[in-house]
Amino acid sequence: MIARVLVLLVVLCAGPAPAQQNVRVPLEEGGRAIQLAAQLFRPAGTVAAPAVAILHGCGGPGQNTARMAGLLASWGYVALVIDSFSARRLKDVCGRNWPSQADAEARAHDIDAALAWLGKQSFVDARRLAFMGYSYGGGVAMLRALSPQSADIAPIARAAILVYPDCALADPLGARLAVRQPTLFAMGALDDWTPVSQCQAVIDRVVQGRDLIVTRVYEGAHHSFDALGLPVRHLPNVGNRSKPGGCCGAHYGANEAAWKAFVADVKAFLARVFAT
C-alpha cells in the first residue's frame, strides 16, 4: 500500500510529459519523393517555440535521441527526431560497410527537409531553428554546418550541435573551411571511434567563423557517453573511419558525469544562441 501511494504521489507531482507524435517529412531524392519517418516532441503551451532537428547515429534512432528530444521539449523547444534509415530500407550501418562519403552527403539533405518542415509549422518559430547530430549523424550535421549550401537553406538554422561527430567526413571539403552559425562540438576525451584529434584537425582548418565554434571535451568519456546504463565495452567489428582502411573496432559506453555536463552545455548553448 505504501509503495502504491508513493508511486501515485510521483505521478501526481510530475510535470506534464512532452507531447509526442509520429510525423512524415517529405524529401526529394534521386528524382523521387520519399517520406522520412520522424518523431515530434512538443513542449506545453501555445506560443511558437524554437525547434531542433535531430539526426541519429549509425544504429538508427535510439534511446539517446529520444531522451534528448524529451529534454529539449522540457526546456521549451520543439524537437524533431528524423529517421533517415527506414525510408531507405536501412537498419544499422555500424558494421564493416560503414557509410560512404556520398551516403553522408546525400543524408545532409535530411537536415534541409527537416528544417523546411519545421519552418512551416504554426507551433514553431521559424526564425529560431537548430540542428543536432550524433556520431555518423553528427558528421552529417557537420557537413551541413560547413557546407556553402548552408547559407541557401530556407529557413536558415541558427545553430548546430555535433555530438561525438564523425569528423573524418570533412576530409574532402578542402583546407579552408567556413562556419556560418554557432556550432558546438561535444566529444569524449577517450573516444577511439570518432576521436577528438580528427575534429580538432577540422576546426584548425576553419578560416571563417572560427569564433562561432564552441568545443567541449569530456574527460574519461568514450563514444556514446550518453548511453546511460551501458557499461563501456569494445565492439570488434564496427567500421571505424579513424583507422587505416576504415576498419575495425571501437569502444563505446556511458559516462554519467560526461552526460550531465553535456546536458548542461547544450542547454546553455541553445539558450545563448536563441536569446540573440
Side-chain angles (χ1 to χ4, degrees), residues 139-185:
V140 172
M142 177 192 60
L143 290 177
R144 176 51 71 235
L146 297 174
S147 170
Q149 297 180 13
S150 63
D152 300 327
I153 298 173
I156 296 174
R158 292 275 295 276
I161 300 173
L162 315 178
V163 191
Y164 39 85
D166 181 2
C167 286
L169 288 171
D171 288 351
L173 298 183
R176 297 172 62 84
L177 303 176
V179 172
R180 293 168 177 80
Q181 64 286 301
T183 300
L184 171 64
F185 284 78

Side-chain angles (χ1 to χ4, degrees), residues 58-271:
C58 63
Q63 293 182 358
N64 62 339
T65 51
R67 185 186 300 114
M68 177 51 67
L71 278 173
L72 288 167
S74 73
W75 299 339
Y77 304 115
V78 173
L80 184 68
V81 180
I82 296 292
D83 177 358
S84 294
F85 285 179
S86 60
R88 297 179 173 102
R89 298 183 180 180
L90 300 171
K91 291 183 179 180
D92 186 322
V93 296
C94 297
R96 293 173 185 270
N97 294 322
W98 190 246
S100 68
Q101 186 75 27
D103 293 334
E105 291 174 358
R107 192 183 171 200
H109 295 295
D110 294 6
I111 298 173
D112 305 348
L115 294 177
W117 187 90
L118 284 168
K120 295 175 183 177
Q121 308 309 310
S122 61
F123 50 84
V124 170
D125 182 350
R127 300 166 301 173
R128 296 190 292 168
L129 300 178
F131 57 91
M132 180 177 191
Y134 287 75
S135 191
Y136 164 48
V140 172
M142 177 192 60
L143 290 177
R144 176 51 71 235
L146 297 174
S147 170
Q149 297 180 13
S150 63
D152 300 327
I153 298 173
I156 296 174
R158 292 275 295 276
I161 300 173
L162 315 178
V163 191
Y164 39 85
D166 181 2
C167 286
L169 288 171
D171 288 351
L173 298 183
R176 297 172 62 84
L177 303 176
V179 172
R180 293 168 177 80
Q181 64 286 301
T183 300
L184 171 64
F185 284 78
M187 302 166 286
L190 302 182
D191 197 325
D192 60 355
W193 203 346
T194 56
V196 174
S197 59
Q198 282 191 334
C199 291
Q200 187 58 56
V202 172
I203 294 170
D204 289 344
R205 288 154 55 199
V206 173
V207 296
Q208 179 182 337
R210 182 72 170 269
D211 59 326
L212 297 174
I213 296 175
V214 177
T215 303
R216 294 289 184 268
V217 178
Y218 305 110
E219 296 302 321
H222 291 80
H223 198 81
S224 298
F225 55 75
D226 58 331
L228 300 184
L230 180 69
V232 175
R233 58 179 177 144
H234 184 255
L235 301 176
N237 297 316
V238 295
N240 190 332
R241 221 184 302 272
S242 71
K243 293 189 174 182
C247 191
C248 286
H251 292 81
Y252 88 124
N255 183 301
E256 187 173 355
W259 156 252
K260 290 179 178 178
F262 164 69
V263 168
D265 288 337
V266 170
K267 187 174 184 179
F269 175 76
L270 287 175

